[in-house]
Amino acid sequence: MPRLPSYSQTRMQPASLARAKIQAPRFRRGLIERRELEQQLGNALTSRRLVLLVAPAGYGKTAALSRQLQRLPAASAVAWLSADEEDDLHRFLSHLIEALEPLDPPWRLAPEALFELEAHGRLREAAAALAGTLEATDTPDRGLIVLDDVHAVPDPRVFEFLGHLIEELPQNWTLVIASRVEPPLALGRWRARREVAEFDETILGFTRKEVQDLWRHATGRDDPEQAQRLLDQTQGWAAGLCLSLETSARSAAAAPKSVWHNRRHLFDYLASEVFDHLPLELQEFLLRCSLLPELTVQRCERIDGNPRAARLLEELECRRLFVSVLDSEELTLRLHDLFRDFLEERLRQLHPEEVPALLRLAAEGEADPVRRTLMYLRAGAWDDAQRSLIEATADMLAGDKGAQVIRLVEQFPADIQARSPVLAYVRGWCAWPHYQYGAVRSAMEHAASGFDALGRHDDAQRARAMQALAIFFCGQMEEARRLGQAVRARPMDLETEILSELLDFWYEAYHGPVDGPGNRLARMVDLLMQGASAELWFRCMPRINVLISRPGVSTQLQRMVDGARAATGEGHWSLQASVNLLEVWLFLWQGRVSEMEAAFQRIQEDSQWLGQPAGLRIRLLALKVNYQVICNDRDAVRATGDAIAAHASLLDHSSDLAEIVLSSATRSSAAVEDWPAVRMRLPVLAELGCRNPSMQMFMRTFKAQLALQEGRLGDALATLRELVTKSALLDTSCLDALVRTRLALAELADGSPAAAWRAMAPLVERVVASGNVGQVLITGVPALTELSLASWGTAAPKEGVATLRQWVETAQRFKAGSQQAPRPSAADNAGLSARELEVLALLADGQSNKLIARALDLSPHTVKRHVARILDRLDLSSRMQAAQWYRTRFGT
């Protein structure tokens, strides 16, 4: 049973996609021309929406496409993808995006955003986003997406996606599908419009003339009778012809004399004839290497142990024996599926005891974590497969691939899934980013008990630390505390200690001391900075901004921003967005208007770029509604509050998150005095139960505000006077500021300005000392304005009243900023930054994204983001249009 890796101390290198999947096999010179087929296929590729090549294995579908692509005009844009049995929709999209990269498509949505749409079943939107990008891609001639071996795809969602893509496909693009069976696509409408070209075995099969040409090419002589015999035996089947020619070259008697209607049996017979006459060394090499998806020297040496692997691969290429050559810096071959199946079957007959060990060796040399895990599963190496999976999980989660991790878990046998603590841990780990704390709790409890039973107490400790956090967020705080103390009673590794500090951070937020969260957060950040992975930073970040008003917390949040940003690498887009969002909260809290507005605009653009993922969207809405509160925009607050409430209804109700989210919408409505909205949401909040102590206080505060608005002053005063005695201890978001400002208003209404100032004085003192004015601004401009204009007399010091007026002036600056024109004029370079102008200059010079990235020392992803911003700001759709804009403006 594999041990859990400590991701607080190690970082996975990003898993590289299998380059071999996105390269068309190299066309081998010397094959005969098939003019009629090639003319039909060439015409179809340049004129139809969809081209289907559907025929059994060995009919030359891949060879025909490979040859034809080389005959296309030079300006054609081609993306090739060879599918396989490991391609679920997520993986399929990953490879398709990679295949399109050389074309420099002008993505208006982050390519990774397609995964978010896919994960939420929004396949039509994903297809539309891809089609929009294809339409904007500069293709002077024709664009082709070629999908080979589509019959191998096991995920029906791939075909649902392709159906939508066909609907949305631009007129200058063609989708080409090669498959052994007709793909499950609804094609009736496109067939009726004659937008589909279909090539089946009757068209792909060799004609009599082509068989004669093939015989002449192979033997150097004409023999119409022998060619006819070959045609009768094989019915024009390319694979059968190829092997029949091999056997006939040695002995005419070796070839079968009758027609073989079972092509697989014919292939196996002929392959045996050919294989048995190969040198023994090459036979053994082929048998063992047949387990590899692609053959390279390093992979073959690992699995076969033959130091002559390079020479043997060259011999295979020379023999042209059912191998295709991939375009790569090193010699890379791919065996034809039929030949690979034949070899693997022979291997299992001759050396069945070697197969599991060979699959393990193949897995050990595989860089792609999905392929590696699946190879271990084929080998029945359950422990190795679990180790491979858990080693990849942190990086896959940081790259938003949690759904793919779960699909790998589901590939294990049911009994292993049921009893494995590792797989239970992985399930809980994947549930965490989606706030599914009930699922985290049960999975981690299973994992911890399983690890203990195996004597793996360190792993059990880590699982219990996660379990304790989940229990806390499910509302059982004391149970979580007891479990957390049990974890702390034993030695802890760095990750477990970080998670324990996070639990204490939250526990002390509700049980004191007041400055406990700030101290705990400082310790947690210290530990994270000792080498935590990007994923662990991300795991610790959700929701911590709600304690931003506590002493010392905002300082530690800034450290959190700096540390997480440093830990974030290419591909961790969700973490980057979370970091940026946390920074915007800090700007808002500190009243840094211009910085907050600029950063808020960027995070909105980032959310749009990422496809508005659900987790980011709800956090952005929470930030947005607070900004709207400060701007005192009641209509905007109501619309955003409704969106928040709708999202809250979809959240997992096993935790307190739904009540926190809905409470923020209710508080915002009360802040702009939208009392009908407050009354509408209070029953829903009550139904959720308000297990969180702070939420209970917010609930009572809302009712007190309604009482004050309805003239029930006594009820409001009684409630608020009680709440103010503990609002500082339970302060989350602006709870203490809200209670004190509303109590002050109630005391003023009761004719007691001195009592009102006693309520306000601690708040004024705290805000002046910390500079964190945001906590009062989000309580609402109407209340702050009323307080600043109140008749305080001698009850309030002049500097205190001046502070109240400064708060209102700060809110007015926010409102003024929100009413400014969103974009500069063309005279200001259309709002393009200096960096974006640099990117645009290189783009206009004809440089690709990769070259621009190299020239400016940027990542390719950053260049894509800059190109998307350029197109947005210029209101253009393609790189060509942007280049023309630059040349027109700057005369270069």
Side-chain angles (χ1 to χ4, degrees):
M1 179 72 66
R3 295 197 173 275
L4 302 185
S6 177
Y7 282 100
S8 59
Q9 296 174 308
T10 62
R11 292 186 61 172
M12 289 281 294
Q13 293 183 349
S16 61
L17 293 172
R19 296 283 305 172
K21 285 174 62 68
I22 60 171
Q23 296 173 353
R26 189 187 307 160
F27 174 67
R28 299 200 304 267
R29 297 187 182 277
L31 297 182
I32 68 165
E33 290 189 3
R34 305 183 66 193
R35 289 190 179 90
E36 185 176 352
L37 171 63
E38 289 166 2
Q39 183 176 355
Q40 292 181 47
L41 185 56
N43 291 339
L45 293 179
T46 56
S47 63
R48 301 298 179 92
R49 177 183 294 264
L50 176 65
V51 176
L52 288 176
L53 286 80
V54 179
Y59 263 94
K61 299 181 291 295
T62 303
L65 284 172
S66 175
R67 179 171 183 140
Q68 198 59 44
L69 292 182
Q70 296 185 29
R71 294 170 175 260
L72 290 174
S76 299
V78 178
W80 178 288
L81 171 57
S82 297
D84 59 45
E85 62 276 2
E86 297 158 10
D87 283 332
D88 57 19
L89 180 54
H90 185 111
R91 186 175 175 80
F92 177 87
L93 289 174
S94 297
H95 291 300
L96 183 55
I97 290 167
E98 184 82 0
L100 289 167
E101 274 303 290
L103 308 181
D104 280 333
W107 295 99
R108 306 303 286 273
L109 195 70
E112 298 76 20
L114 298 184
F115 305 145
E116 177 72 17
L117 296 174
E118 170 261 327
H120 289 86
R122 295 157 61 187
L123 303 191
R124 185 180 294 277
E125 293 176 60
L130 176 58
T133 299
L134 294 176
E135 186 171 20
T137 300
D138 297 327
T139 52
D141 200 84
R142 192 76 181 173
L144 300 175
I145 295 177
V146 183
L147 307 177
D148 196 17
D149 292 334
V150 171
H151 57 271
V153 173
D155 188 349
R157 297 179 308 145
V158 170
F159 299 103
E160 182 182 351
F161 171 81
L162 290 176
H164 294 314
L165 181 60
I166 294 169
E167 294 271 351
E168 303 284 348
L169 204 62
Q171 290 185 351
N172 63 327
W173 280 82
T174 296
L175 179 64
V176 186
I177 295 177
S179 175
R180 295 181 187 175
V181 296
E182 183 168 321
L185 299 168
L187 301 178
R189 179 157 56 99
W190 305 116
R191 283 174 171 142
R193 294 181 180 181
R194 298 186 177 180
E195 294 197 52
V196 181
E198 300 181 70
F199 296 79
D200 61 13
E201 58 195 278
T202 64
I203 300 175
L204 292 169
F206 277 62
T207 65
R208 177 180 293 103
K209 182 181 182 306
E210 289 170 342
V211 174
Q212 290 174 355
D213 291 343
L214 187 62
W215 176 267
R216 185 186 311 112
H217 177 81
T219 65
R221 64 182 189 275
D222 281 320
D223 190 338
E225 184 179 342
Q226 184 66 20
Q228 182 64 47
R229 187 179 299 115
L230 279 178
L231 180 61
D232 292 341
Q233 290 166 352
T234 63
Q235 301 295 295
W237 184 41
L241 285 167
C242 179
L243 286 174
S244 292
L245 286 169
E246 289 280 347
T247 57
S248 297
R250 290 192 309 276
S251 169
K257 304 301 182 186
S258 59
V259 177
W260 285 55
H261 297 288
N262 187 318
R263 293 185 180 87
R264 176 57 196 269
H265 289 167
L266 173 60
F267 185 89
D268 287 354
Y269 171 81
L270 294 173
S272 297
E273 290 292 319
V274 173
F275 180 79
D276 291 343
H277 288 84
L278 292 176
L280 184 59
E281 181 186 31
L282 189 55
Q283 288 185 35
E284 294 296 319
F285 180 80
L286 272 171
L287 288 176
R288 290 175 173 82
C289 293
S290 67
L291 298 174
L292 294 170
E294 293 88 27
L295 279 60
T296 64
V297 172
Q298 184 177 6
R299 287 179 171 184
C300 292
E301 284 180 345
R302 173 185 289 273
I303 195 170
D304 185 55
N306 192 326
R308 286 172 25 88
R311 183 68 178 270
L312 293 171
L313 285 177
E314 290 173 0
E315 184 175 349
L316 280 176
E317 182 186 16
C318 292
R319 287 176 176 269
R320 300 178 177 178
L321 190 60
F322 282 90
V323 297
S324 56
V325 183
L326 302 179
D327 188 12
S328 179
E329 293 181 2
E330 63 175 331
L331 179 60
T332 304
L333 305 181
R334 180 188 293 147
L335 297 172
H336 190 284
D337 287 350
L338 276 174
F339 195 43
R340 186 176 63 238
D341 292 345
F342 161 77
L343 291 170
E344 186 172 338
E345 185 175 326
R346 177 70 69 91
L347 173 66
R348 293 181 183 276
Q349 290 172 355
L350 298 177
H351 309 294
E353 74 288 349
E354 291 187 24
V355 173
L358 290 172
L359 284 168
R360 285 192 179 94
L361 287 171
E364 290 167 5
E366 177 58 60
D368 187 299
V370 176
R371 275 188 172 186
R372 183 173 60 245
T373 302
L374 290 172
M375 281 182 179
Y376 280 131
L377 287 171
R378 284 183 61 199
W382 314 127
D383 287 353
D384 290 331
Q386 290 178 72
R387 184 186 67 252
S388 173
L389 176 59
I390 203 161
E391 285 176 351
T393 296
D395 204 63
M396 292 180 74
L397 285 176
D400 299 317
K401 298 177 181 177
Q404 195 171 16
V405 174
I406 291 299
R407 284 192 285 273
L408 284 173
V409 170
E410 292 169 349
Q411 298 299 309
F412 286 81
D415 60 323
I416 292 178
Q417 289 188 51
R419 68 173 185 265
S420 168
V422 171
L423 298 183
Y425 188 94
V426 169
R427 284 186 183 277
W429 201 357
C430 290
W432 182 266
H434 301 287
Y435 312 111
Q436 296 169 346
Y437 298 120
V440 176
R441 176 180 184 171
S442 60
M444 291 302 175
E445 183 178 12
H446 179 185
S449 61
F451 286 135
D452 271 338
L454 296 172
R456 295 169 49 180
H457 302 300
D458 289 344
D459 291 339
Q461 285 282 88
R462 197 178 308 169
R464 286 201 176 89
M466 288 289 291
Q467 179 190 354
L469 282 164
I471 291 172
F472 183 92
F473 291 131
C474 287
Q476 287 83 49
M477 296 185 181
E478 293 305 323
E479 181 183 347
R481 174 68 166 173
R482 288 192 296 273
L483 184 57
Q485 288 174 332
V487 170
R488 280 195 174 277
R490 298 174 59 93
M492 298 180 290
D493 63 16
L494 181 60
E495 183 171 333
T496 305
E497 189 174 1
I498 289 170
L499 296 173
S500 295
E501 288 292 343
L502 181 60
L503 176 63
D504 290 342
F505 165 83
W506 284 109
Y507 185 83
E508 292 184 8
Y510 299 107
H511 298 85
V514 172
D515 59 355
N519 295 332
R520 291 294 183 182
L521 189 57
R523 172 63 178 155
M524 188 181 79
V525 176
D526 287 342
L527 293 170
L528 284 166
M529 287 185 169
Q530 292 181 24
S533 67
E535 184 279 328
L536 187 53
W537 281 93
F538 181 71
R539 213 184 320 169
C540 295
M541 289 181 69
R543 302 172 52 169
I544 59 175
N545 62 284
V546 303
L547 297 178
I548 194 171
S549 57
R550 293 295 187 91
V553 168
S554 62
T555 300
Q556 300 309 318
L557 291 182
Q558 185 61 60
R559 292 181 66 210
M560 194 92 177
V561 166
D562 296 339
R565 190 164 280 155
T568 303
E570 185 80 12
H572 300 153
W573 320 126
S574 290
L575 178 54
Q576 292 176 8
S578 294
V579 172
N580 294 338
L581 196 62
L582 185 55
E583 186 174 52
V584 177
W585 273 108
L586 286 168
F587 290 152
L588 183 148
W589 222 245
Q590 294 158 6
R592 295 157 64 178
V593 180
S594 59
E595 292 166 284
M596 186 268 171
E597 289 168 346
F600 186 64
Q601 177 66 27
R602 286 196 301 271
I603 195 68
Q604 285 186 306
E605 291 176 353
D606 286 345
S607 179
Q608 187 69 32
W609 170 246
L610 293 169
Q612 298 188 356
L616 178 60
R617 184 169 182 267
I618 186 60
R619 289 178 286 157
L620 183 57
L621 286 172
L623 178 65
K624 184 177 183 179
V625 79
N626 281 292
Y627 179 67
Q628 292 165 343
V629 164
I630 297 173
C631 297
N632 200 30
D633 188 340
R634 180 183 295 186
D635 291 340
V637 167
R638 171 168 285 195
T640 305
D642 288 345
I644 291 173
H647 191 92
S649 67
L650 303 176
L651 293 172
D652 177 14
H653 287 188
S654 66
S655 76
D656 61 0
L657 185 60
E659 62 197 62
I660 290 174
V661 168
L662 189 58
S663 175
S664 71
T666 309
R667 172 182 55 75
S668 300
S669 297
V672 295
E673 299 184 347
D674 184 358
W675 304 116
V678 174
R679 292 187 180 93
M680 177 181 67
R681 292 187 180 123
L682 280 180
V684 183
L685 263 177
E687 186 177 341
L688 289 173
C690 290
R691 292 159 289 183
N692 185 303
S694 291
M695 294 306 103
Q696 294 170 8
M697 290 192 66
F698 269 118
M699 184 76 165
R700 296 185 66 195
T701 305
F702 300 150
K703 292 179 178 178
Q705 290 180 84
L706 281 176
L708 187 60
Q709 190 268 337
E710 293 166 357
R712 293 182 286 112
L713 182 58
D715 292 343
L717 279 170
T719 299
L720 292 167
R721 285 169 179 169
E722 178 189 349
L723 293 176
V724 80
T725 63
K726 49 189 175 182
S727 58
L729 180 64
L730 292 173
D731 193 14
T732 58
S733 298
C734 63
L735 176 61
D736 187 55
L738 182 64
V739 170
R740 291 185 181 279
T741 53
R742 272 42 182 189
L743 177 57
L745 289 174
E747 296 287 9
L748 286 170
D750 196 41
S752 305
W757 189 253
R758 284 196 298 274
M760 287 296 298
L763 177 61
V764 172
E765 181 181 349
R766 184 170 74 240
V767 173
V768 169
S770 67
N772 292 332
V773 68
Q775 60 191 297
V776 293
L777 297 183
I778 64 174
T779 63
V781 174
L784 296 180
T785 301
E786 187 175 346
L787 288 170
S788 70
L789 299 176
S791 299
W792 291 99
T794 59
K798 291 182 179 179
E799 59 272 18
V801 177
T803 297
L804 297 181
R805 291 170 182 160
Q806 288 173 3
W807 293 350
V808 176
E809 291 169 2
T810 301
Q812 290 171 345
R813 290 201 300 275
F814 272 85
K815 185 172 184 177
S818 72
Q819 295 172 343
Q820 291 177 357
R823 292 186 178 181
S825 66
D828 296 317
N829 291 327
L832 298 181
S833 68
R835 175 62 85 186
E836 287 161 355
L837 284 171
E838 288 180 313
V839 170
L840 182 52
L842 294 172
L843 185 154
D845 193 41
Q847 297 197 30
S848 67
N849 285 351
K850 288 186 177 179
L851 291 177
I852 295 172
R854 190 176 304 151
L856 300 180
D857 194 24
L858 301 173
S859 73
H861 177 83
T862 301
V863 174
K864 290 179 203 170
R865 186 69 185 96
H866 281 313
V867 171
R869 284 199 181 107
I870 289 167
L871 296 176
D872 282 341
R873 283 168 168 74
L874 300 182
D875 195 23
L876 301 174
S877 61
S878 72
R879 293 166 63 94
M880 188 179 298
Q881 292 173 348
Q884 184 59 42
W885 181 93
Y886 184 86
R887 295 189 195 103
T888 301
R889 187 174 184 80
F890 296 101
T892 57

